Amino acid sequence: MDFSFLAKYWSYFNYGAVVTIIISACVVFFGSIIGVLIALAKRSNIKVLDWIVSFYVWIFRGTPMVVQISLAFAVMHFGNLPIIPFGVLDMDLSRLVPGILVISLNSGAYISESIRAGIESVSKGQLEAAYSLGIKPLNAYRYVIMPQALKNILPALGNEFITIIKDSSLLQTIGVMELWNGAQSVETATYLPFEPKLFAAFYYLILTTILSAILKKYENSLNGGK
């Protein structure tokens, strides 16, 4: 195998990896917000709201993400958004924004179930005690329930972050220049059909391994260093 291309095209992988991390961080942030809102909506007593969010979760969990990305790009193609030079790559916001949006919506559907399970793991007595002290429901969830649920939710959020790092490669279908698309650009330039893809796979493995180690250390710190 010939990896001599790395001397010239190393930057394609590095910048692609940075774009991948940016995408993943944005998706986990927005997906977590969406997940919290869905989880709270499903715990409400408003039947119509529960039906709407259940339908939303059903759609996004029951259809392939690559299909969702393609449809979102077709519907939400923002042609007036700028292209931002980013090293050897270009960040085309007209492609990046729909991609982040639809993956966030997809991620929120999955995260909502983890958040719902985390909230339900907290004793109902905690919520009743907060109400008895005159704390409003929204503040009770914000200051009493969610901090306790976070410890149970964190592993699932960490796994979702790792999953999104890998799933972000699907954005190459709409031309987003992330790590996998960067590898394909190297493949086109070098006429090497195997080595650039293999190195990209190795890069993904390094990213997910480092992130897993960081999350594990943080989990241990929450558990008192155990």
Side-chain angles (χ1 to χ4, degrees):
M1 289 187 289
D2 180 14
F3 289 96
S4 60
F5 65 88
L6 288 174
K8 182 178 181 180
Y9 294 102
W10 178 264
S11 56
Y12 280 77
F13 296 94
N14 288 339
Y15 283 108
V18 173
V19 174
T20 292
I21 292 172
I22 291 173
I23 292 170
S24 302
C26 290
V27 167
V28 171
F29 176 76
F30 292 117
S32 296
I33 294 175
I34 294 170
V36 169
L37 294 176
I38 293 174
L40 294 179
K42 294 194 74 170
R43 288 178 61 84
S44 70
N45 295 320
I46 305 174
K47 294 295 184 180
V48 174
L49 187 59
D50 179 60
W51 184 88
I52 291 173
V53 296
S54 296
F55 181 76
Y56 161 85
V57 171
W58 176 63
I59 290 294
F60 277 92
R61 295 188 67 176
T63 56
M65 188 186 294
V66 67
V67 175
Q68 297 167 15
I69 291 170
S70 298
L71 290 175
F73 180 65
V75 173
M76 300 182 291
H77 182 59
F78 305 113
N80 58 335
L81 294 182
I83 297 176
I84 301 175
F86 187 69
V88 297
L89 305 177
D90 289 327
M91 294 176 64
D92 186 348
L93 297 186
S94 67
R95 300 174 184 273
L96 187 61
V97 171
I100 289 176
L101 178 59
V102 73
I103 298 181
S104 297
L105 290 170
N106 180 284
S107 179
Y110 286 91
I111 290 176
S112 66
E113 294 301 309
S114 299
I115 292 175
R116 182 184 59 81
I119 291 174
E120 291 179 352
S121 68
V122 180
S123 171
K124 292 182 179 179
Q126 298 281 337
L127 194 59
E128 294 171 357
Y131 289 160
S132 68
L133 293 173
I135 301 175
K136 295 181 179 180
L138 184 60
N139 288 333
Y141 274 100
R142 180 180 178 183
Y143 296 111
V144 178
I145 302 300
M146 292 306 297
Q148 297 181 68
L150 179 61
K151 184 183 294 186
N152 298 325
I153 296 171
L154 185 62
L157 289 180
N159 290 334
E160 184 67 12
F161 200 167
I162 293 172
T163 298
I164 293 302
I165 285 180
K166 296 179 290 184
D167 287 348
S168 64
S169 62
L170 294 174
L171 293 182
Q172 61 87 23
T173 58
I174 59 172
V176 175
M177 290 300 296
E178 38 66 62
L179 177 55
W180 187 247
N181 210 344
Q184 290 184 318
S185 297
V186 174
E187 177 186 344
T188 301
T190 60
Y191 300 102
L192 294 171
F194 182 71
E195 288 85 347
K197 292 177 181 177
L198 180 61
F199 186 75
F202 175 73
Y203 216 135
Y204 279 114
L205 183 61
I206 294 299
L207 288 176
T208 55
T209 300
I210 293 174
L211 180 59
S212 296
I214 293 173
L215 291 171
K216 185 65 176 178
K217 185 174 182 180
Y218 185 59
E219 285 181 47
N220 290 339
S221 68
L222 288 179
N223 293 324
K226 295 181 181 179

